[in-house]
Amino acid sequence: MTGIFVTGTDTNVGKTAVAAGLAGALGLLGYNVGVMKPVQSGAAVKNGELYSQDAEFLMAAVDKIEVELVCPVLLKEALAPGVAAQIEGRDIDLSLIKDAYTELERRHDIVIVEGAGGIAVPLKDKFLISDLITYLGIPAVIVARAGLGTINHTLLTIEHAKNSGIYIIGVIMNNYRGGMAEETNPKIITELTGVPIVGIIPSDPTVDVEGCRLGSIISLVERNVNIDQIIRSIKTDK
Ligand SMILES: Nc1ncnc2c1ncn2[C@@H]1O[C@H](COP(=O)(O)OP(=O)(O)OP(=O)(O)O)[C@@H](O)[C@H]1O
Ligand SMILES: [Mg+2]
């Protein structure tokens, strides 16, 4: 069918957790779901080999899938991918990413693609994550923190996405803990941007991306994200 690009207002906002939750929840609805983390900087090392913790977590939420397609570009330094690649004397090969994505799209009904950092992070020269989204030609979900400071980050991300011609499915707020800011933020973001909030996911201690433990993330997404709205929205975008 298509892909959904999961970008965020920042690094560490919960893109991997939400992307895996979405992938798992769509799988439970009967979709054959693929996942992708096209570029991983700050890759971890296991048995002397680089690997992506994010890719492992995403892969834990779906049926067996080839890691070479899921994460075609691994970079050692924990920096913006464009900078990490430069330090390694490498150039991120966009056609490698596109080919892997095309193959995943061929094999699956829906491919959930996780970005790196936020939407304006450079991959090479002046090519940003937003350019990768338009290059793949898929709509985006924006993961945002639920708490204080999120209005500014979310509005800037939405504005950048709109200026780049990206179709925004909606915002998913993550790590909701309650409190005045968290309760009022969703309404303000939708009023100011017209972009729907398609989910508010509570903070849950069982979710552990670093330890590759999905915990409750799939059922949290099932219960707190409007998956029907997301599916309707990607069908409209086609
Ligand atoms: N709803 C949640 N409840 C509790 N912990 C969460 C939740 N969502 C994410 N986390 C934790 O927060 C941290 C950041 O989440 P995650 O790795 O998904 O962020 P990210 O945006 O993908 O980061 P990166 O930019 O490094 O890819 C992780 O330790 C993860 O286990
Ligand atoms: Mg991540």
PDB file of all heavy atoms in Angstrom, residues 100-129:
ATOM      1  N   ALA A 100      16.195  -0.111  -0.909  1.00  0.00           N
ATOM      2  CA  ALA A 100      15.745  -0.934   0.226  1.00  0.00           C
ATOM      3  C   ALA A 100      14.280  -0.635   0.529  1.00  0.00           C
ATOM      4  O   ALA A 100      13.468  -1.552   0.739  1.00  0.00           O
ATOM      5  CB  ALA A 100      16.614  -0.674   1.455  1.00  0.00           C
ATOM      6  N   TYR A 101      13.925   0.643   0.520  1.00  0.00           N
ATOM      7  CA  TYR A 101      12.534   1.021   0.796  1.00  0.00           C
ATOM      8  C   TYR A 101      11.593   0.432  -0.267  1.00  0.00           C
ATOM      9  O   TYR A 101      10.542  -0.133   0.064  1.00  0.00           O
ATOM     10  CB  TYR A 101      12.363   2.552   0.860  1.00  0.00           C
ATOM     11  CG  TYR A 101      10.907   2.897   0.990  1.00  0.00           C
ATOM     12  CD1 TYR A 101      10.253   2.741   2.213  1.00  0.00           C
ATOM     13  CD2 TYR A 101      10.149   3.280  -0.118  1.00  0.00           C
ATOM     14  CE1 TYR A 101       8.893   2.970   2.335  1.00  0.00           C
ATOM     15  CE2 TYR A 101       8.791   3.501  -0.008  1.00  0.00           C
ATOM     16  CZ  TYR A 101       8.172   3.348   1.215  1.00  0.00           C
ATOM     17  OH  TYR A 101       6.818   3.554   1.329  1.00  0.00           O
ATOM     18  N   THR A 102      11.982   0.546  -1.527  1.00  0.00           N
ATOM     19  CA  THR A 102      11.137   0.046  -2.621  1.00  0.00           C
ATOM     20  C   THR A 102      10.910  -1.454  -2.478  1.00  0.00           C
ATOM     21  O   THR A 102       9.795  -1.950  -2.680  1.00  0.00           O
ATOM     22  CB  THR A 102      11.802   0.360  -3.989  1.00  0.00           C
ATOM     23  OG1 THR A 102      12.065   1.758  -4.031  1.00  0.00           O
ATOM     24  CG2 THR A 102      10.914  -0.011  -5.156  1.00  0.00           C
ATOM     25  N   GLU A 103      11.960  -2.168  -2.082  1.00  0.00           N
ATOM     26  CA  GLU A 103      11.831  -3.620  -1.899  1.00  0.00           C
ATOM     27  C   GLU A 103      10.894  -3.931  -0.722  1.00  0.00           C
ATOM     28  O   GLU A 103      10.050  -4.823  -0.809  1.00  0.00           O
ATOM     29  CB  GLU A 103      13.228  -4.237  -1.688  1.00  0.00           C
ATOM     30  CG  GLU A 103      13.252  -5.734  -1.490  1.00  0.00           C
ATOM     31  CD  GLU A 103      12.610  -6.532  -2.638  1.00  0.00           C
ATOM     32  OE1 GLU A 103      12.481  -5.989  -3.756  1.00  0.00           O
ATOM     33  OE2 GLU A 103      12.214  -7.689  -2.392  1.00  0.00           O
ATOM     34  N   LEU A 104      11.049  -3.184   0.377  1.00  0.00           N
ATOM     35  CA  LEU A 104      10.158  -3.397   1.528  1.00  0.00           C
ATOM     36  C   LEU A 104       8.710  -3.078   1.154  1.00  0.00           C
ATOM     37  O   LEU A 104       7.783  -3.795   1.540  1.00  0.00           O
ATOM     38  CB  LEU A 104      10.598  -2.527   2.713  1.00  0.00           C
ATOM     39  CG  LEU A 104      11.880  -2.959   3.424  1.00  0.00           C
ATOM     40  CD1 LEU A 104      12.300  -1.913   4.446  1.00  0.00           C
ATOM     41  CD2 LEU A 104      11.694  -4.317   4.119  1.00  0.00           C
ATOM     42  N   GLU A 105       8.518  -2.014   0.380  1.00  0.00           N
ATOM     43  CA  GLU A 105       7.162  -1.627  -0.030  1.00  0.00           C
ATOM     44  C   GLU A 105       6.537  -2.713  -0.919  1.00  0.00           C
ATOM     45  O   GLU A 105       5.340  -2.977  -0.858  1.00  0.00           O
ATOM     46  CB  GLU A 105       7.211  -0.290  -0.769  1.00  0.00           C
ATOM     47  CG  GLU A 105       5.881   0.425  -0.768  1.00  0.00           C
ATOM     48  CD  GLU A 105       5.906   1.692  -1.603  1.00  0.00           C
ATOM     49  OE1 GLU A 105       6.534   1.694  -2.686  1.00  0.00           O
ATOM     50  OE2 GLU A 105       5.299   2.678  -1.172  1.00  0.00           O
ATOM     51  N   ARG A 106       7.407  -3.354  -1.720  1.00  0.00           N
ATOM     52  CA  ARG A 106       6.925  -4.433  -2.593  1.00  0.00           C
ATOM     53  C   ARG A 106       6.480  -5.646  -1.758  1.00  0.00           C
ATOM     54  O   ARG A 106       5.507  -6.311  -2.079  1.00  0.00           O
ATOM     55  CB  ARG A 106       8.066  -4.828  -3.550  1.00  0.00           C
ATOM     56  CG  ARG A 106       7.641  -5.661  -4.755  1.00  0.00           C
ATOM     57  CD  ARG A 106       8.851  -6.075  -5.591  1.00  0.00           C
ATOM     58  NE  ARG A 106       9.772  -6.958  -4.890  1.00  0.00           N
ATOM     59  CZ  ARG A 106       9.562  -8.250  -4.649  1.00  0.00           C
ATOM     60  NH1 ARG A 106       8.457  -8.820  -5.064  1.00  0.00           N
ATOM     61  NH2 ARG A 106      10.461  -8.969  -3.976  1.00  0.00           N
ATOM     62  N   ARG A 107       7.231  -5.895  -0.664  1.00  0.00           N
ATOM     63  CA  ARG A 107       6.960  -7.093   0.134  1.00  0.00           C
ATOM     64  C   ARG A 107       5.840  -6.928   1.155  1.00  0.00           C
ATOM     65  O   ARG A 107       5.321  -7.910   1.656  1.00  0.00           O
ATOM     66  CB  ARG A 107       8.224  -7.492   0.920  1.00  0.00           C
ATOM     67  CG  ARG A 107       9.355  -7.959   0.035  1.00  0.00           C
ATOM     68  CD  ARG A 107      10.500  -8.441   0.902  1.00  0.00           C
ATOM     69  NE  ARG A 107      11.692  -8.675   0.114  1.00  0.00           N
ATOM     70  CZ  ARG A 107      12.819  -9.167   0.602  1.00  0.00           C
ATOM     71  NH1 ARG A 107      12.908  -9.465   1.882  1.00  0.00           N
ATOM     72  NH2 ARG A 107      13.860  -9.340  -0.172  1.00  0.00           N
ATOM     73  N   HIS A 108       5.551  -5.672   1.537  1.00  0.00           N
ATOM     74  CA  HIS A 108       4.629  -5.452   2.659  1.00  0.00           C
ATOM     75  C   HIS A 108       3.454  -4.554   2.269  1.00  0.00           C
ATOM     76  O   HIS A 108       3.540  -3.797   1.306  1.00  0.00           O
ATOM     77  CB  HIS A 108       5.386  -4.810   3.831  1.00  0.00           C
ATOM     78  CG  HIS A 108       6.531  -5.644   4.311  1.00  0.00           C
ATOM     79  ND1 HIS A 108       6.370  -6.709   5.172  1.00  0.00           N
ATOM     80  CD2 HIS A 108       7.859  -5.592   4.024  1.00  0.00           C
ATOM     81  CE1 HIS A 108       7.549  -7.269   5.404  1.00  0.00           C
ATOM     82  NE2 HIS A 108       8.464  -6.618   4.717  1.00  0.00           N
ATOM     83  N   ASP A 109       2.394  -4.619   3.083  1.00  0.00           N
ATOM     84  CA  ASP A 109       1.239  -3.736   2.862  1.00  0.00           C
ATOM     85  C   ASP A 109       1.574  -2.307   3.295  1.00  0.00           C
ATOM     86  O   ASP A 109       1.197  -1.341   2.645  1.00  0.00           O
ATOM     87  CB  ASP A 109       0.037  -4.196   3.709  1.00  0.00           C
ATOM     88  CG  ASP A 109      -0.400  -5.612   3.381  1.00  0.00           C
ATOM     89  OD1 ASP A 109      -0.256  -6.008   2.207  1.00  0.00           O
ATOM     90  OD2 ASP A 109      -0.876  -6.316   4.297  1.00  0.00           O
ATOM     91  N   ILE A 110       2.237  -2.188   4.431  1.00  0.00           N
ATOM     92  CA  ILE A 110       2.596  -0.872   4.976  1.00  0.00           C
ATOM     93  C   ILE A 110       4.031  -0.959   5.506  1.00  0.00           C
ATOM     94  O   ILE A 110       4.400  -1.952   6.139  1.00  0.00           O
ATOM     95  CB  ILE A 110       1.678  -0.464   6.162  1.00  0.00           C
ATOM     96  CG1 ILE A 110       0.201  -0.471   5.741  1.00  0.00           C
ATOM     97  CG2 ILE A 110       2.057   0.917   6.706  1.00  0.00           C
ATOM     98  CD1 ILE A 110      -0.776  -0.118   6.854  1.00  0.00           C
ATOM     99  N   VAL A 111       4.828   0.074   5.229  1.00  0.00           N
ATOM    100  CA  VAL A 111       6.191   0.124   5.769  1.00  0.00           C
ATOM    101  C   VAL A 111       6.286   1.329   6.713  1.00  0.00           C
ATOM    102  O   VAL A 111       6.005   2.462   6.318  1.00  0.00           O
ATOM    103  CB  VAL A 111       7.256   0.269   4.647  1.00  0.00           C
ATOM    104  CG1 VAL A 111       8.650   0.170   5.236  1.00  0.00           C
ATOM    105  CG2 VAL A 111       7.054  -0.776   3.560  1.00  0.00           C
ATOM    106  N   ILE A 112       6.674   1.062   7.957  1.00  0.00           N
ATOM    107  CA  ILE A 112       6.847   2.140   8.934  1.00  0.00           C
ATOM    108  C   ILE A 112       8.337   2.513   8.944  1.00  0.00           C
ATOM    109  O   ILE A 112       9.187   1.673   9.239  1.00  0.00           O
ATOM    110  CB  ILE A 112       6.436   1.672  10.358  1.00  0.00           C
ATOM    111  CG1 ILE A 112       5.012   1.089  10.368  1.00  0.00           C
ATOM    112  CG2 ILE A 112       6.581   2.805  11.367  1.00  0.00           C
ATOM    113  CD1 ILE A 112       3.913   2.075  10.136  1.00  0.00           C
ATOM    114  N   VAL A 113       8.616   3.778   8.602  1.00  0.00           N
ATOM    115  CA  VAL A 113      10.000   4.237   8.454  1.00  0.00           C
ATOM    116  C   VAL A 113      10.324   5.235   9.556  1.00  0.00           C
ATOM    117  O   VAL A 113       9.662   6.278   9.662  1.00  0.00           O
ATOM    118  CB  VAL A 113      10.208   4.915   7.075  1.00  0.00           C
ATOM    119  CG1 VAL A 113      11.664   5.290   6.877  1.00  0.00           C
ATOM    120  CG2 VAL A 113       9.703   4.039   5.935  1.00  0.00           C
ATOM    121  N   GLU A 114      11.327   4.935  10.361  1.00  0.00           N
ATOM    122  CA  GLU A 114      11.719   5.884  11.419  1.00  0.00           C
ATOM    123  C   GLU A 114      12.851   6.787  10.948  1.00  0.00           C
ATOM    124  O   GLU A 114      13.873   6.313  10.437  1.00  0.00           O
ATOM    125  CB  GLU A 114      12.179   5.139  12.680  1.00  0.00           C
ATOM    126  CG  GLU A 114      12.484   6.135  13.803  1.00  0.00           C
ATOM    127  CD  GLU A 114      13.304   5.583  14.958  1.00  0.00           C
ATOM    128  OE1 GLU A 114      13.387   4.353  15.122  1.00  0.00           O
ATOM    129  OE2 GLU A 114      13.876   6.415  15.690  1.00  0.00           O
ATOM    130  N   GLY A 115      12.706   8.086  11.175  1.00  0.00           N
ATOM    131  CA  GLY A 115      13.750   9.034  10.815  1.00  0.00           C
ATOM    132  C   GLY A 115      14.923   8.980  11.784  1.00  0.00           C
ATOM    133  O   GLY A 115      15.126   8.001  12.502  1.00  0.00           O
ATOM    134  N   ALA A 116      15.730  10.040  11.766  1.00  0.00           N
ATOM    135  CA  ALA A 116      16.846  10.177  12.709  1.00  0.00           C
ATOM    136  C   ALA A 116      16.725  11.578  13.291  1.00  0.00           C
ATOM    137  O   ALA A 116      16.617  12.548  12.537  1.00  0.00           O
ATOM    138  CB  ALA A 116      18.169   9.999  11.978  1.00  0.00           C
ATOM    139  N   GLY A 117      16.702  11.691  14.602  1.00  0.00           N
ATOM    140  CA  GLY A 117      16.557  13.008  15.223  1.00  0.00           C
ATOM    141  C   GLY A 117      15.262  13.667  14.782  1.00  0.00           C
ATOM    142  O   GLY A 117      14.238  13.003  14.659  1.00  0.00           O
ATOM    143  N   GLY A 118      15.317  14.975  14.501  1.00  0.00           N
ATOM    144  CA  GLY A 118      14.119  15.706  14.060  1.00  0.00           C
ATOM    145  C   GLY A 118      14.067  15.851  12.549  1.00  0.00           C
ATOM    146  O   GLY A 118      14.873  15.259  11.824  1.00  0.00           O
ATOM    147  N   ILE A 119      13.142  16.675  12.079  1.00  0.00           N
ATOM    148  CA  ILE A 119      12.847  16.747  10.640  1.00  0.00           C
ATOM    149  C   ILE A 119      13.886  17.561   9.845  1.00  0.00           C
ATOM    150  O   ILE A 119      14.011  17.399   8.638  1.00  0.00           O
ATOM    151  CB  ILE A 119      11.421  17.330  10.430  1.00  0.00           C
ATOM    152  CG1 ILE A 119      10.910  17.020   9.019  1.00  0.00           C
ATOM    153  CG2 ILE A 119      11.366  18.827  10.723  1.00  0.00           C
ATOM    154  CD1 ILE A 119       9.423  17.202   8.861  1.00  0.00           C
ATOM    155  N   ALA A 120      14.652  18.408  10.538  1.00  0.00           N
ATOM    156  CA  ALA A 120      15.608  19.253   9.808  1.00  0.00           C
ATOM    157  C   ALA A 120      17.051  18.804  10.043  1.00  0.00           C
ATOM    158  O   ALA A 120      17.992  19.587   9.950  1.00  0.00           O
ATOM    159  CB  ALA A 120      15.434  20.716  10.207  1.00  0.00           C
ATOM    160  N   VAL A 121      17.214  17.525  10.344  1.00  0.00           N
ATOM    161  CA  VAL A 121      18.563  16.979  10.573  1.00  0.00           C
ATOM    162  C   VAL A 121      19.207  16.640   9.225  1.00  0.00           C
ATOM    163  O   VAL A 121      18.575  16.026   8.374  1.00  0.00           O
ATOM    164  CB  VAL A 121      18.451  15.721  11.477  1.00  0.00           C
ATOM    165  CG1 VAL A 121      19.705  14.878  11.422  1.00  0.00           C
ATOM    166  CG2 VAL A 121      18.163  16.138  12.911  1.00  0.00           C
ATOM    167  N   PRO A 122      20.468  17.060   9.015  1.00  0.00           N
ATOM    168  CA  PRO A 122      21.104  16.803   7.710  1.00  0.00           C
ATOM    169  C   PRO A 122      21.589  15.369   7.516  1.00  0.00           C
ATOM    170  O   PRO A 122      22.135  14.759   8.427  1.00  0.00           O
ATOM    171  CB  PRO A 122      22.291  17.775   7.704  1.00  0.00           C
ATOM    172  CG  PRO A 122      22.569  18.075   9.126  1.00  0.00           C
ATOM    173  CD  PRO A 122      21.294  17.891   9.903  1.00  0.00           C
ATOM    174  N   LEU A 123      21.347  14.850   6.309  1.00  0.00           N
ATOM    175  CA  LEU A 123      21.871  13.527   5.931  1.00  0.00           C
ATOM    176  C   LEU A 123      23.111  13.676   5.051  1.00  0.00           C
ATOM    177  O   LEU A 123      23.993  12.827   5.064  1.00  0.00           O
ATOM    178  CB  LEU A 123      20.814  12.730   5.170  1.00  0.00           C
ATOM    179  CG  LEU A 123      19.590  12.276   5.965  1.00  0.00           C
ATOM    180  CD1 LEU A 123      18.691  11.425   5.105  1.00  0.00           C
ATOM    181  CD2 LEU A 123      20.007  11.493   7.204  1.00  0.00           C
ATOM    182  N   LYS A 124      23.130  14.718   4.240  1.00  0.00           N
ATOM    183  CA  LYS A 124      24.318  15.032   3.444  1.00  0.00           C
ATOM    184  C   LYS A 124      24.124  16.430   2.847  1.00  0.00           C
ATOM    185  O   LYS A 124      23.000  16.822   2.549  1.00  0.00           O
ATOM    186  CB  LYS A 124      24.548  14.005   2.332  1.00  0.00           C
ATOM    187  CG  LYS A 124      23.406  13.878   1.338  1.00  0.00           C
ATOM    188  CD  LYS A 124      23.513  12.635   0.517  1.00  0.00           C
ATOM    189  CE  LYS A 124      24.503  12.795  -0.599  1.00  0.00           C
ATOM    190  NZ  LYS A 124      24.740  11.550  -1.322  1.00  0.00           N
ATOM    191  N   ASP A 125      25.221  17.145   2.654  1.00  0.00           N
ATOM    192  CA  ASP A 125      25.160  18.502   2.105  1.00  0.00           C
ATOM    193  C   ASP A 125      23.926  19.229   2.646  1.00  0.00           C
ATOM    194  O   ASP A 125      23.787  19.383   3.831  1.00  0.00           O
ATOM    195  CB  ASP A 125      25.144  18.473   0.572  1.00  0.00           C
ATOM    196  CG  ASP A 125      26.295  17.634   0.026  1.00  0.00           C
ATOM    197  OD1 ASP A 125      27.374  17.697   0.631  1.00  0.00           O
ATOM    198  OD2 ASP A 125      26.096  16.907  -0.971  1.00  0.00           O
ATOM    199  N   LYS A 126      23.028  19.628   1.737  1.00  0.00           N
ATOM    200  CA  LYS A 126      21.832  20.344   2.199  1.00  0.00           C
ATOM    201  C   LYS A 126      20.607  19.441   2.206  1.00  0.00           C
ATOM    202  O   LYS A 126      19.474  19.908   2.215  1.00  0.00           O
ATOM    203  CB  LYS A 126      21.607  21.563   1.319  1.00  0.00           C
ATOM    204  CG  LYS A 126      22.695  22.598   1.531  1.00  0.00           C
ATOM    205  CD  LYS A 126      22.385  23.886   0.838  1.00  0.00           C
ATOM    206  CE  LYS A 126      23.380  24.946   1.279  1.00  0.00           C
ATOM    207  NZ  LYS A 126      24.086  25.604   0.227  1.00  0.00           N
ATOM    208  N   PHE A 127      20.827  18.149   2.175  1.00  0.00           N
ATOM    209  CA  PHE A 127      19.735  17.176   2.135  1.00  0.00           C
ATOM    210  C   PHE A 127      19.349  16.791   3.563  1.00  0.00           C
ATOM    211  O   PHE A 127      20.128  16.179   4.299  1.00  0.00           O
ATOM    212  CB  PHE A 127      20.205  15.956   1.328  1.00  0.00           C
ATOM    213  CG  PHE A 127      19.118  15.000   0.943  1.00  0.00           C
ATOM    214  CD1 PHE A 127      18.515  15.064  -0.317  1.00  0.00           C
ATOM    215  CD2 PHE A 127      18.703  14.010   1.823  1.00  0.00           C
ATOM    216  CE1 PHE A 127      17.529  14.159  -0.682  1.00  0.00           C
ATOM    217  CE2 PHE A 127      17.714  13.110   1.462  1.00  0.00           C
ATOM    218  CZ  PHE A 127      17.121  13.178   0.208  1.00  0.00           C
ATOM    219  N   LEU A 128      18.120  17.161   3.946  1.00  0.00           N
ATOM    220  CA  LEU A 128      17.659  16.955   5.318  1.00  0.00           C
ATOM    221  C   LEU A 128      16.695  15.763   5.402  1.00  0.00           C
ATOM    222  O   LEU A 128      16.266  15.226   4.374  1.00  0.00           O
ATOM    223  CB  LEU A 128      16.925  18.215   5.813  1.00  0.00           C
ATOM    224  CG  LEU A 128      17.641  19.556   5.632  1.00  0.00           C
ATOM    225  CD1 LEU A 128      16.757  20.695   6.173  1.00  0.00           C
ATOM    226  CD2 LEU A 128      18.998  19.556   6.322  1.00  0.00           C
ATOM    227  N   ILE A 129      16.328  15.388   6.621  1.00  0.00           N
ATOM    228  CA  ILE A 129      15.315  14.331   6.799  1.00  0.00           C
ATOM    229  C   ILE A 129      14.049  14.679   6.008  1.00  0.00           C
ATOM    230  O   ILE A 129      13.442  13.812   5.372  1.00  0.00           O
ATOM    231  CB  ILE A 129      14.979  14.145   8.300  1.00  0.00           C
ATOM    232  CG1 ILE A 129      16.137  13.447   9.023  1.00  0.00           C
ATOM    233  CG2 ILE A 129      13.678  13.367   8.491  1.00  0.00           C
ATOM    234  CD1 ILE A 129      16.328  11.961   8.722  1.00  0.00           C
TER     235      ILE A 129
END
